[in-house]
């Protein structure tokens, strides 16, 4: 049963009784509940924290429900955002025979937490959370909006086994997503992956980018980083998808030509030891600096010469948006929004929605260390070109202003509340 049909069945007198804050004014405060895996270090988590704070500042009542315990948080929520932690270890192994009863228990706990927050609308993030949220809210008149940040593979690297639970959630999207009020993608490239849904069931809303106040963070120099040497910065989880191995291979090709330059890699992840081993010689020369994860990388970004992203696939890379906001030109791989399947033709990814090739950055082929090295060397030798491109970054980022993003979410929330009101009214009549 699709969302519209479910609303008609669910909204009897009891359904009308739980309606809150219905009205015509777009600025009327709403009760918005976000559901996410956790608040660990990552682009999804940073975007969620930013959006929750923005909606709170505009007078809405915001609750964030996470599977993970608050003790695992990397990012801090604004003080007046309500927080509910289910204390579920999302990545914990589950014996196959216990999957169904454990899933039922978790879905009941999730629904109970959502109902406790008394939401006008629920917004969930990422497939492994979107699908359980839709299942948990089955039969409820409360509209659920699901958000897609990227088509992350279920086999993150060739050497790792298939993640069967994640595969299951991804496969169930075709069954569950028609029951959502709307499927929101953070880039047009990701939205194209959901062409099997009607156009009116989908929307593209980019992630919010940092504002000027966030950029004025205090500079804390990581060990080995030298203010008197030029920096290249890259930000991202130390994972197969982010291609730091490609970046290090590319930098190693030109490091001897530019001994004063430092490559600063901000992030942490499962490939930390492998990447440290790959960069061992350059780290000894302090040409490669690993800072670990940083909650506020903007001070380092603002003092860099340029930014590099070597990803194998990206939906809407927040690190690139942050670099552009900081006035940094960007060299990025022209990567797809998801890994290509066997025999599938290459498709453009969300990176092209951020980086304007030749205007505020350069695009190079993914998994091509030679091309990436040539692009970096070109900018390292030519400060005039770097400065010329840096002057264009501000004009490009007006497309993703914080105000536009928040207003788009407010409009979507109002649409969901209006449809809920209309359906429930019909049910009473």
């Amino acid at each position: 049963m699709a969302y519209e049909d479910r609303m008609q069945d669910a909204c009897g007198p009891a359904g009308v009784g739980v309606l809150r804050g219905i009205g015509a004014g777009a600025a009327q405060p709403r009760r918005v509940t976000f559901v996410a895996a956790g608040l660990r270090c990552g682009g999804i988590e940073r975007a969620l924290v930013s959006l929750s704070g923005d909606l709170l500042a505009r007078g809405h009542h915001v609750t964030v429900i996470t599977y993970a315990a608050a003790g695992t948080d990397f990012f801090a929520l604004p003080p007046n955002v309500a927080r509910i932690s289910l204390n579920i270890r999302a990545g914990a192994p589950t014996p196959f025979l216990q999957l169904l009863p454990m899933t039922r228990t978790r879905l009941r706990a999730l629904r109970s937490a959502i109902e406790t927050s008394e939401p006008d609308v629920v917004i969930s993030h990422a497939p492994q959370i979107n699908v359980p949220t839709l299942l948990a809210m089955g039969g409820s008149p409360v509209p659920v909006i699901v958000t897609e940040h990227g088509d992350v593979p279920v086999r993150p690297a060739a050497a790792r086994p298939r993640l069967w639970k994640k595969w299951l959630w991804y496969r169930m999207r075709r069954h569950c997503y028609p029951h959502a009020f709307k499927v929101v993608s953070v880039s047009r490239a990701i939205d194209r992956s959901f062409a099997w849904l009607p156009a009116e069931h989908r929307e593209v809303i980019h992630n919010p980018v940092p504002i000027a106040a966030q950029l004025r963070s205090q500079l804390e120099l990581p060990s080995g980083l030298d203010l008197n040497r030029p920096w290249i910065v890259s930000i991202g989880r130390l994972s197969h998808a982010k291609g730091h191995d490609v970046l290090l291979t590319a930098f190693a090709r030109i490091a001897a030509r530019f001994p004063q330059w430092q490559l600063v890699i901000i992030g942490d992840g499962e490939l930390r030891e492998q990447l440290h081993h790959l960069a061992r010689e350059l780290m000894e020369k302090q040409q490669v600096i690993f800072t670990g994860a940083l909650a506020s990388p903007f001070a380092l970004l603002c003092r860099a010469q340029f930014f590099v992203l070597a990803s194998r696939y990206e939906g809407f890379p927040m690190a690139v948006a942050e670099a552009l906001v900081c006035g940094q030109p960007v060299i990025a791989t022209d990567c797809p929004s998801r890994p290509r399947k066997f025999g599938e033709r290459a498709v453009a990814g969300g990176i092209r929605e951020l980086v304007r090739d030749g205007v505020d950055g350069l695009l190079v082929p993914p998994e091509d260390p030679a091309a990436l090295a040539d692009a970096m060397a070109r900018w390292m030798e030519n400060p005039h070109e770097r400065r010329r491109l840096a002057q264009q970054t501000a004009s490009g980022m007006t497309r993703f202003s914080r105000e536009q993003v928040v207003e788009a979410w407010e409009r979507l929330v109002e649409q969901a509340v209006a449809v809920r009101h209309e359906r429930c009214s019909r049910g009473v009549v």
Side-chain angles (χ1 to χ4, degrees):
M1 185 183 297
Y3 172 75
E4 290 80 1
D5 299 324
R6 188 175 77 240
M7 287 294 304
Q8 185 67 38
D9 290 347
C11 291
V16 174
V18 299
L19 291 176
R20 304 180 61 91
I22 296 300
Q28 183 170 352
R30 301 297 182 188
R31 300 183 67 88
V32 180
T33 294
F34 290 97
V35 185
L39 296 178
R40 295 178 183 273
C41 183
I44 295 176
E45 294 81 1
R46 187 189 291 278
L48 185 153
V49 169
S50 296
L51 184 57
S52 66
D54 290 337
L55 290 175
L56 183 74
R58 294 171 79 103
H60 302 284
H61 305 277
V62 182
T63 299
V64 173
I65 298 174
T66 63
Y67 273 33
T72 66
D73 290 357
F74 181 82
F75 294 112
L77 288 167
N80 292 325
V81 172
R83 170 68 179 278
I84 301 175
S85 301
L86 300 180
N87 294 326
I88 296 173
R89 292 176 58 206
T94 305
F96 184 77
L97 294 179
Q98 296 181 21
L99 179 63
L100 186 58
M102 188 174 293
T103 298
R104 287 174 174 167
T105 299
R106 290 178 175 179
L107 292 182
R108 285 195 293 268
L110 177 57
R111 177 154 181 158
S112 176
I114 292 173
E115 290 177 342
T116 297
S117 69
E118 300 181 302
D120 292 316
V121 64
V122 175
I123 303 173
S124 65
H125 290 266
Q128 59 268 39
I129 302 299
N130 294 340
V131 171
T133 300
L134 288 167
L135 292 174
M137 296 302 290
S140 170
V142 178
V144 177
I145 300 170
V146 300
T147 310
E148 282 280 348
H149 294 260
D151 204 351
V152 181
V154 295
R155 191 190 298 271
R160 297 186 64 184
R162 180 178 293 275
L163 305 177
W164 64 271
K165 281 195 292 183
K166 184 178 285 188
W167 174 87
L168 182 62
W169 295 133
Y170 273 73
R171 291 291 295 177
M172 289 183 68
R173 289 183 299 180
R174 283 188 175 262
H175 170 73
C176 293
Y177 278 17
H179 299 264
F181 172 74
K182 195 81 75 170
V183 176
V184 174
S185 297
V186 299
S187 74
R188 292 189 298 274
I190 296 172
D191 178 68
R192 288 194 292 269
S193 300
F194 298 96
W196 46 272
L197 286 169
E200 62 272 15
H201 204 71
R202 314 191 320 261
E203 188 151 343
V204 175
I205 303 178
H206 297 294
N207 281 331
V209 298
I211 56 178
Q214 292 177 295
L215 306 184
R216 293 192 290 268
S217 56
Q218 184 177 357
L219 176 62
E220 296 182 7
L221 278 183
S223 176
L225 194 57
D226 189 341
L227 279 172
N228 297 314
R229 299 172 67 175
W231 310 337
I232 304 168
V233 170
S234 184
I235 300 177
R237 182 174 177 81
L238 304 186
S239 64
H240 175 75
K242 299 299 181 179
H244 288 106
D245 55 324
V246 178
L247 174 58
L248 289 170
T249 301
F251 187 69
R253 297 170 70 106
I254 58 175
R257 290 169 52 192
F258 304 97
Q260 285 298 109
W261 283 75
Q262 293 183 299
L263 173 61
V264 183
I265 297 177
I266 301 173
D268 203 352
E270 61 271 18
L271 298 184
R272 178 177 59 251
E273 292 185 9
Q274 296 179 38
L275 294 172
H276 281 209
H277 178 75
L278 180 62
R280 185 180 67 253
E281 292 185 8
L282 292 174
M283 290 173 68
E284 291 173 354
K285 299 176 182 178
Q286 293 192 334
Q287 282 192 270
V288 171
I289 307 294
F290 288 91
T291 70
L294 300 177
S296 181
F298 306 118
L300 291 180
L301 266 176
C302 289
R303 288 165 175 79
Q305 301 302 312
F306 60 92
F307 181 87
V308 176
L309 184 84
S311 294
R312 291 178 165 90
Y313 37 88
E314 284 285 359
F316 186 83
M318 286 301 296
V320 170
E322 291 163 358
L324 292 169
V325 168
C326 288
Q328 296 298 338
V330 172
I331 295 174
T333 49
D334 191 10
C335 58
S337 60
R338 58 183 171 82
R340 292 170 59 186
K341 299 177 182 177
F342 180 75
E344 183 181 49
R345 67 180 180 85
V347 293
I351 192 71
R352 292 190 186 182
E353 297 170 43
L354 279 166
V355 179
R356 299 171 294 175
D357 192 24
V359 178
D360 49 21
L362 293 176
L363 297 178
V364 299
E367 300 202 68
D368 190 338
L372 185 57
D374 289 345
M376 288 193 293
R378 172 177 159 183
W379 280 9
M380 293 159 83
E381 293 174 330
N382 193 338
H384 299 292
E385 182 176 3
R386 295 199 310 266
R387 286 195 289 267
R388 177 180 63 81
L389 295 175
Q391 291 172 355
Q392 305 299 318
T393 58
S395 64
M397 292 314 292
T398 58
R399 300 169 294 163
F400 311 108
S401 75
R402 195 70 163 264
E403 185 175 3
Q404 291 182 46
V405 170
V406 178
E407 287 180 352
W409 273 108
E410 284 188 309
R411 287 194 297 271
L412 188 56
V413 168
E414 285 302 313
Q415 291 172 19
V417 171
V419 169
R420 176 184 178 181
H421 179 49
E422 178 187 0
R423 298 291 179 180
C424 287
S425 298
R426 290 180 183 178
V428 173
V429 174

